[in-house]
Amino acid sequence: MSKNSPRSWYDNAPTTWIDTTREVDVSSHYQRFVPLLRPNAHVLEIGCGAGRDAKHFNDLFLRITAIDASPTMCDETRAHAGPEVKVECVPLLEVNSDGQRYDGVWALAALVHATDDELARSFPKIARLLQPGAPFYTTFKFAENSWTDANGRFYNWMTPSRLTSLLSDAGFERIEITQENDTMGRPESWLSCVCIAKHPVLSPSTDGATMR
């Protein structure tokens, strides 16, 4: 792993960033996602970071499995979110679900560092991890070109049309994308997206279920 990789930065994230992240008001995002969950839902959080969102969902008495590729971030989530939250230090693409299907997947700013190849594999993976009809929520920085920031972190580009295409191809429907200002007051825009994992449709020619 390069010392300038995104994971390396989060492994050494400054305390000020952790504290600031926990204080950011993301209630508007919660309001678009939580009402779509069934009672006592089991939610997978991708990129749990400092543990803000895992704690919020835990406080709502939801069952939470939180994952992150950074051991430091996993430790921060364990310390902040509470012992009821299951935390696993694993990248999304290495998750072994053993047939587990979640009632919702939350990935707030969690996939922004993914490469084109990783994105092409991540969205179908998430669709397979969801119960049919379950919601997926994610956000990306709005941009028409990828870039690397001053901390050496790669950011992939994302537009509404590209995100819609990627999600549709991966097996999602009812895709709703909102462009909005940065919650921390920075001069940038974000794309917030909620969508639903498609229900498999039974093919009349087979006994199994196939996705259309």
Side-chain angles (χ1 to χ4, degrees), residues 29-55:
H29 298 287
Y30 298 147
Q31 291 165 7
R32 297 173 194 149
F33 177 70
V34 173
L36 300 176
L37 299 171
R38 68 173 183 81
N40 197 36
H42 189 178
V43 174
L44 174 67
E45 181 185 5
I46 300 169
C48 53
R52 177 199 60 217
D53 300 340
K55 182 181 188 304

PDB file of all heavy atoms in Angstrom, residues 29-55:
ATOM      1  N   HIS A  29     -29.591  13.396   5.096  1.00  0.00           N
ATOM      2  CA  HIS A  29     -29.309  12.100   4.468  1.00  0.00           C
ATOM      3  C   HIS A  29     -30.030  10.976   5.208  1.00  0.00           C
ATOM      4  O   HIS A  29     -30.621  10.091   4.581  1.00  0.00           O
ATOM      5  CB  HIS A  29     -27.804  11.841   4.448  1.00  0.00           C
ATOM      6  CG  HIS A  29     -27.022  12.837   3.654  1.00  0.00           C
ATOM      7  ND1 HIS A  29     -27.032  12.872   2.283  1.00  0.00           N
ATOM      8  CD2 HIS A  29     -26.207  13.847   4.053  1.00  0.00           C
ATOM      9  CE1 HIS A  29     -26.254  13.857   1.847  1.00  0.00           C
ATOM     10  NE2 HIS A  29     -25.746  14.462   2.904  1.00  0.00           N
ATOM     11  N   TYR A  30     -29.976  11.012   6.530  1.00  0.00           N
ATOM     12  CA  TYR A  30     -30.699  10.003   7.313  1.00  0.00           C
ATOM     13  C   TYR A  30     -32.180   9.993   6.956  1.00  0.00           C
ATOM     14  O   TYR A  30     -32.808   8.930   6.850  1.00  0.00           O
ATOM     15  CB  TYR A  30     -30.563  10.282   8.809  1.00  0.00           C
ATOM     16  CG  TYR A  30     -29.163  10.238   9.383  1.00  0.00           C
ATOM     17  CD1 TYR A  30     -28.806  11.079  10.436  1.00  0.00           C
ATOM     18  CD2 TYR A  30     -28.206   9.346   8.892  1.00  0.00           C
ATOM     19  CE1 TYR A  30     -27.532  11.044  10.994  1.00  0.00           C
ATOM     20  CE2 TYR A  30     -26.928   9.312   9.431  1.00  0.00           C
ATOM     21  CZ  TYR A  30     -26.596  10.161  10.477  1.00  0.00           C
ATOM     22  OH  TYR A  30     -25.338  10.125  11.026  1.00  0.00           O
ATOM     23  N   GLN A  31     -32.759  11.189   6.766  1.00  0.00           N
ATOM     24  CA  GLN A  31     -34.195  11.293   6.519  1.00  0.00           C
ATOM     25  C   GLN A  31     -34.614  10.678   5.193  1.00  0.00           C
ATOM     26  O   GLN A  31     -35.773  10.301   5.019  1.00  0.00           O
ATOM     27  CB  GLN A  31     -34.605  12.771   6.567  1.00  0.00           C
ATOM     28  CG  GLN A  31     -34.520  13.371   7.967  1.00  0.00           C
ATOM     29  CD  GLN A  31     -34.573  14.889   7.964  1.00  0.00           C
ATOM     30  OE1 GLN A  31     -34.805  15.514   6.916  1.00  0.00           O
ATOM     31  NE2 GLN A  31     -34.348  15.496   9.112  1.00  0.00           N
ATOM     32  N   ARG A  32     -33.686  10.560   4.251  1.00  0.00           N
ATOM     33  CA  ARG A  32     -34.000   9.942   2.960  1.00  0.00           C
ATOM     34  C   ARG A  32     -33.843   8.429   2.990  1.00  0.00           C
ATOM     35  O   ARG A  32     -34.366   7.735   2.121  1.00  0.00           O
ATOM     36  CB  ARG A  32     -33.093  10.525   1.870  1.00  0.00           C
ATOM     37  CG  ARG A  32     -33.270  12.003   1.620  1.00  0.00           C
ATOM     38  CD  ARG A  32     -32.229  12.521   0.646  1.00  0.00           C
ATOM     39  NE  ARG A  32     -32.182  13.983   0.645  1.00  0.00           N
ATOM     40  CZ  ARG A  32     -31.095  14.693   0.416  1.00  0.00           C
ATOM     41  NH1 ARG A  32     -29.952  14.070   0.163  1.00  0.00           N
ATOM     42  NH2 ARG A  32     -31.128  15.997   0.439  1.00  0.00           N
ATOM     43  N   PHE A  33     -33.117   7.941   3.972  1.00  0.00           N
ATOM     44  CA  PHE A  33     -32.773   6.515   4.016  1.00  0.00           C
ATOM     45  C   PHE A  33     -33.569   5.737   5.063  1.00  0.00           C
ATOM     46  O   PHE A  33     -34.163   4.702   4.754  1.00  0.00           O
ATOM     47  CB  PHE A  33     -31.273   6.385   4.306  1.00  0.00           C
ATOM     48  CG  PHE A  33     -30.759   4.973   4.445  1.00  0.00           C
ATOM     49  CD1 PHE A  33     -30.684   4.129   3.353  1.00  0.00           C
ATOM     50  CD2 PHE A  33     -30.327   4.499   5.683  1.00  0.00           C
ATOM     51  CE1 PHE A  33     -30.188   2.834   3.476  1.00  0.00           C
ATOM     52  CE2 PHE A  33     -29.823   3.209   5.819  1.00  0.00           C
ATOM     53  CZ  PHE A  33     -29.761   2.377   4.719  1.00  0.00           C
ATOM     54  N   VAL A  34     -33.598   6.233   6.282  1.00  0.00           N
ATOM     55  CA  VAL A  34     -34.181   5.479   7.388  1.00  0.00           C
ATOM     56  C   VAL A  34     -35.654   5.124   7.168  1.00  0.00           C
ATOM     57  O   VAL A  34     -36.066   3.992   7.460  1.00  0.00           O
ATOM     58  CB  VAL A  34     -33.990   6.239   8.718  1.00  0.00           C
ATOM     59  CG1 VAL A  34     -34.745   5.544   9.855  1.00  0.00           C
ATOM     60  CG2 VAL A  34     -32.507   6.339   9.061  1.00  0.00           C
ATOM     61  N   PRO A  35     -36.492   6.035   6.623  1.00  0.00           N
ATOM     62  CA  PRO A  35     -37.902   5.666   6.430  1.00  0.00           C
ATOM     63  C   PRO A  35     -38.109   4.496   5.470  1.00  0.00           C
ATOM     64  O   PRO A  35     -39.198   3.890   5.457  1.00  0.00           O
ATOM     65  CB  PRO A  35     -38.528   6.950   5.866  1.00  0.00           C
ATOM     66  CG  PRO A  35     -37.653   8.041   6.364  1.00  0.00           C
ATOM     67  CD  PRO A  35     -36.276   7.469   6.322  1.00  0.00           C
ATOM     68  N   LEU A  36     -37.114   4.177   4.669  1.00  0.00           N
ATOM     69  CA  LEU A  36     -37.235   3.073   3.711  1.00  0.00           C
ATOM     70  C   LEU A  36     -36.903   1.725   4.338  1.00  0.00           C
ATOM     71  O   LEU A  36     -37.092   0.682   3.697  1.00  0.00           O
ATOM     72  CB  LEU A  36     -36.313   3.316   2.518  1.00  0.00           C
ATOM     73  CG  LEU A  36     -36.562   4.598   1.718  1.00  0.00           C
ATOM     74  CD1 LEU A  36     -35.508   4.762   0.628  1.00  0.00           C
ATOM     75  CD2 LEU A  36     -37.956   4.599   1.116  1.00  0.00           C
ATOM     76  N   LEU A  37     -36.416   1.727   5.567  1.00  0.00           N
ATOM     77  CA  LEU A  37     -36.014   0.494   6.240  1.00  0.00           C
ATOM     78  C   LEU A  37     -37.192  -0.133   6.971  1.00  0.00           C
ATOM     79  O   LEU A  37     -38.056   0.561   7.502  1.00  0.00           O
ATOM     80  CB  LEU A  37     -34.899   0.782   7.244  1.00  0.00           C
ATOM     81  CG  LEU A  37     -33.601   1.358   6.698  1.00  0.00           C
ATOM     82  CD1 LEU A  37     -32.695   1.786   7.845  1.00  0.00           C
ATOM     83  CD2 LEU A  37     -32.889   0.336   5.807  1.00  0.00           C
ATOM     84  N   ARG A  38     -37.184  -1.456   7.035  1.00  0.00           N
ATOM     85  CA  ARG A  38     -38.200  -2.138   7.834  1.00  0.00           C
ATOM     86  C   ARG A  38     -37.805  -2.058   9.310  1.00  0.00           C
ATOM     87  O   ARG A  38     -36.646  -1.785   9.642  1.00  0.00           O
ATOM     88  CB  ARG A  38     -38.314  -3.600   7.391  1.00  0.00           C
ATOM     89  CG  ARG A  38     -37.101  -4.470   7.703  1.00  0.00           C
ATOM     90  CD  ARG A  38     -37.379  -5.923   7.371  1.00  0.00           C
ATOM     91  NE  ARG A  38     -36.269  -6.807   7.708  1.00  0.00           N
ATOM     92  CZ  ARG A  38     -36.016  -7.290   8.926  1.00  0.00           C
ATOM     93  NH1 ARG A  38     -36.788  -6.946   9.941  1.00  0.00           N
ATOM     94  NH2 ARG A  38     -35.002  -8.101   9.128  1.00  0.00           N
ATOM     95  N   PRO A  39     -38.736  -2.289  10.238  1.00  0.00           N
ATOM     96  CA  PRO A  39     -38.397  -2.272  11.664  1.00  0.00           C
ATOM     97  C   PRO A  39     -37.304  -3.298  11.989  1.00  0.00           C
ATOM     98  O   PRO A  39     -37.272  -4.391  11.438  1.00  0.00           O
ATOM     99  CB  PRO A  39     -39.722  -2.641  12.347  1.00  0.00           C
ATOM    100  CG  PRO A  39     -40.778  -2.225  11.361  1.00  0.00           C
ATOM    101  CD  PRO A  39     -40.179  -2.476  10.010  1.00  0.00           C
ATOM    102  N   ASN A  40     -36.400  -2.916  12.879  1.00  0.00           N
ATOM    103  CA  ASN A  40     -35.301  -3.788  13.294  1.00  0.00           C
ATOM    104  C   ASN A  40     -34.432  -4.219  12.122  1.00  0.00           C
ATOM    105  O   ASN A  40     -33.901  -5.325  12.090  1.00  0.00           O
ATOM    106  CB  ASN A  40     -35.830  -5.021  14.032  1.00  0.00           C
ATOM    107  CG  ASN A  40     -34.735  -5.734  14.826  1.00  0.00           C
ATOM    108  OD1 ASN A  40     -33.844  -5.093  15.382  1.00  0.00           O
ATOM    109  ND2 ASN A  40     -34.791  -7.056  14.863  1.00  0.00           N
ATOM    110  N   ALA A  41     -34.291  -3.346  11.173  1.00  0.00           N
ATOM    111  CA  ALA A  41     -33.517  -3.670   9.972  1.00  0.00           C
ATOM    112  C   ALA A  41     -32.047  -3.909  10.311  1.00  0.00           C
ATOM    113  O   ALA A  41     -31.498  -3.337  11.255  1.00  0.00           O
ATOM    114  CB  ALA A  41     -33.633  -2.537   8.962  1.00  0.00           C
ATOM    115  N   HIS A  42     -31.425  -4.751   9.501  1.00  0.00           N
ATOM    116  CA  HIS A  42     -29.984  -5.005   9.595  1.00  0.00           C
ATOM    117  C   HIS A  42     -29.313  -4.223   8.469  1.00  0.00           C
ATOM    118  O   HIS A  42     -29.524  -4.511   7.292  1.00  0.00           O
ATOM    119  CB  HIS A  42     -29.689  -6.492   9.468  1.00  0.00           C
ATOM    120  CG  HIS A  42     -28.265  -6.846   9.772  1.00  0.00           C
ATOM    121  ND1 HIS A  42     -27.796  -8.150   9.748  1.00  0.00           N
ATOM    122  CD2 HIS A  42     -27.188  -6.075  10.120  1.00  0.00           C
ATOM    123  CE1 HIS A  42     -26.507  -8.153  10.065  1.00  0.00           C
ATOM    124  NE2 HIS A  42     -26.121  -6.913  10.287  1.00  0.00           N
ATOM    125  N   VAL A  43     -28.525  -3.224   8.843  1.00  0.00           N
ATOM    126  CA  VAL A  43     -27.920  -2.315   7.877  1.00  0.00           C
ATOM    127  C   VAL A  43     -26.420  -2.564   7.783  1.00  0.00           C
ATOM    128  O   VAL A  43     -25.740  -2.720   8.800  1.00  0.00           O
ATOM    129  CB  VAL A  43     -28.168  -0.846   8.282  1.00  0.00           C
ATOM    130  CG1 VAL A  43     -27.415   0.112   7.364  1.00  0.00           C
ATOM    131  CG2 VAL A  43     -29.667  -0.534   8.251  1.00  0.00           C
ATOM    132  N   LEU A  44     -25.916  -2.601   6.566  1.00  0.00           N
ATOM    133  CA  LEU A  44     -24.473  -2.653   6.327  1.00  0.00           C
ATOM    134  C   LEU A  44     -23.994  -1.249   6.030  1.00  0.00           C
ATOM    135  O   LEU A  44     -24.474  -0.608   5.094  1.00  0.00           O
ATOM    136  CB  LEU A  44     -24.158  -3.572   5.148  1.00  0.00           C
ATOM    137  CG  LEU A  44     -22.679  -3.588   4.702  1.00  0.00           C
ATOM    138  CD1 LEU A  44     -21.788  -4.208   5.775  1.00  0.00           C
ATOM    139  CD2 LEU A  44     -22.519  -4.339   3.374  1.00  0.00           C
ATOM    140  N   GLU A  45     -23.043  -0.766   6.836  1.00  0.00           N
ATOM    141  CA  GLU A  45     -22.420   0.520   6.541  1.00  0.00           C
ATOM    142  C   GLU A  45     -21.054   0.278   5.928  1.00  0.00           C
ATOM    143  O   GLU A  45     -20.199  -0.385   6.534  1.00  0.00           O
ATOM    144  CB  GLU A  45     -22.267   1.395   7.782  1.00  0.00           C
ATOM    145  CG  GLU A  45     -21.631   2.733   7.413  1.00  0.00           C
ATOM    146  CD  GLU A  45     -21.317   3.652   8.575  1.00  0.00           C
ATOM    147  OE1 GLU A  45     -21.486   3.249   9.735  1.00  0.00           O
ATOM    148  OE2 GLU A  45     -20.890   4.789   8.289  1.00  0.00           O
ATOM    149  N   ILE A  46     -20.840   0.832   4.747  1.00  0.00           N
ATOM    150  CA  ILE A  46     -19.551   0.730   4.053  1.00  0.00           C
ATOM    151  C   ILE A  46     -18.753   1.990   4.342  1.00  0.00           C
ATOM    152  O   ILE A  46     -19.233   3.103   4.153  1.00  0.00           O
ATOM    153  CB  ILE A  46     -19.767   0.570   2.538  1.00  0.00           C
ATOM    154  CG1 ILE A  46     -20.577  -0.688   2.244  1.00  0.00           C
ATOM    155  CG2 ILE A  46     -18.432   0.542   1.804  1.00  0.00           C
ATOM    156  CD1 ILE A  46     -21.062  -0.786   0.806  1.00  0.00           C
ATOM    157  N   GLY A  47     -17.512   1.823   4.789  1.00  0.00           N
ATOM    158  CA  GLY A  47     -16.669   2.972   5.099  1.00  0.00           C
ATOM    159  C   GLY A  47     -17.141   3.692   6.351  1.00  0.00           C
ATOM    160  O   GLY A  47     -17.531   4.862   6.306  1.00  0.00           O
ATOM    161  N   CYS A  48     -17.096   2.999   7.489  1.00  0.00           N
ATOM    162  CA  CYS A  48     -17.690   3.541   8.721  1.00  0.00           C
ATOM    163  C   CYS A  48     -16.912   4.705   9.312  1.00  0.00           C
ATOM    164  O   CYS A  48     -17.440   5.461  10.129  1.00  0.00           O
ATOM    165  CB  CYS A  48     -17.859   2.443   9.752  1.00  0.00           C
ATOM    166  SG  CYS A  48     -16.370   1.480  10.115  1.00  0.00           S
ATOM    167  N   GLY A  49     -15.648   4.879   8.915  1.00  0.00           N
ATOM    168  CA  GLY A  49     -14.891   6.056   9.318  1.00  0.00           C
ATOM    169  C   GLY A  49     -14.849   6.265  10.816  1.00  0.00           C
ATOM    170  O   GLY A  49     -14.528   5.360  11.586  1.00  0.00           O
ATOM    171  N   ALA A  50     -15.215   7.473  11.249  1.00  0.00           N
ATOM    172  CA  ALA A  50     -15.118   7.843  12.662  1.00  0.00           C
ATOM    173  C   ALA A  50     -16.271   7.311  13.507  1.00  0.00           C
ATOM    174  O   ALA A  50     -16.291   7.520  14.720  1.00  0.00           O
ATOM    175  CB  ALA A  50     -15.037   9.361  12.793  1.00  0.00           C
ATOM    176  N   GLY A  51     -17.239   6.650  12.891  1.00  0.00           N
ATOM    177  CA  GLY A  51     -18.303   6.004  13.649  1.00  0.00           C
ATOM    178  C   GLY A  51     -19.556   6.826  13.868  1.00  0.00           C
ATOM    179  O   GLY A  51     -20.482   6.381  14.549  1.00  0.00           O
ATOM    180  N   ARG A  52     -19.629   8.002  13.266  1.00  0.00           N
ATOM    181  CA  ARG A  52     -20.797   8.877  13.449  1.00  0.00           C
ATOM    182  C   ARG A  52     -22.104   8.213  13.036  1.00  0.00           C
ATOM    183  O   ARG A  52     -23.083   8.194  13.797  1.00  0.00           O
ATOM    184  CB  ARG A  52     -20.588  10.165  12.639  1.00  0.00           C
ATOM    185  CG  ARG A  52     -21.768  11.141  12.667  1.00  0.00           C
ATOM    186  CD  ARG A  52     -21.662  12.132  11.502  1.00  0.00           C
ATOM    187  NE  ARG A  52     -21.662  11.462  10.219  1.00  0.00           N
ATOM    188  CZ  ARG A  52     -20.933  11.846   9.172  1.00  0.00           C
ATOM    189  NH1 ARG A  52     -20.155  12.898   9.252  1.00  0.00           N
ATOM    190  NH2 ARG A  52     -21.007  11.175   8.032  1.00  0.00           N
ATOM    191  N   ASP A  53     -22.134   7.665  11.831  1.00  0.00           N
ATOM    192  CA  ASP A  53     -23.378   7.122  11.306  1.00  0.00           C
ATOM    193  C   ASP A  53     -23.736   5.793  11.969  1.00  0.00           C
ATOM    194  O   ASP A  53     -24.915   5.522  12.235  1.00  0.00           O
ATOM    195  CB  ASP A  53     -23.282   6.954   9.789  1.00  0.00           C
ATOM    196  CG  ASP A  53     -23.025   8.288   9.096  1.00  0.00           C
ATOM    197  OD1 ASP A  53     -23.294   9.338   9.695  1.00  0.00           O
ATOM    198  OD2 ASP A  53     -22.521   8.258   7.954  1.00  0.00           O
ATOM    199  N   ALA A  54     -22.742   4.970  12.257  1.00  0.00           N
ATOM    200  CA  ALA A  54     -23.011   3.709  12.958  1.00  0.00           C
ATOM    201  C   ALA A  54     -23.641   3.986  14.320  1.00  0.00           C
ATOM    202  O   ALA A  54     -24.561   3.285  14.748  1.00  0.00           O
ATOM    203  CB  ALA A  54     -21.718   2.912  13.114  1.00  0.00           C
ATOM    204  N   LYS A  55     -23.154   5.008  14.998  1.00  0.00           N
ATOM    205  CA  LYS A  55     -23.732   5.378  16.297  1.00  0.00           C
ATOM    206  C   LYS A  55     -25.169   5.841  16.136  1.00  0.00           C
ATOM    207  O   LYS A  55     -26.053   5.457  16.927  1.00  0.00           O
ATOM    208  CB  LYS A  55     -22.904   6.469  16.969  1.00  0.00           C
ATOM    209  CG  LYS A  55     -23.426   6.869  18.354  1.00  0.00           C
ATOM    210  CD  LYS A  55     -22.593   7.963  18.975  1.00  0.00           C
ATOM    211  CE  LYS A  55     -23.021   8.207  20.422  1.00  0.00           C
ATOM    212  NZ  LYS A  55     -24.462   8.533  20.553  1.00  0.00           N
TER     213      LYS A  55
END
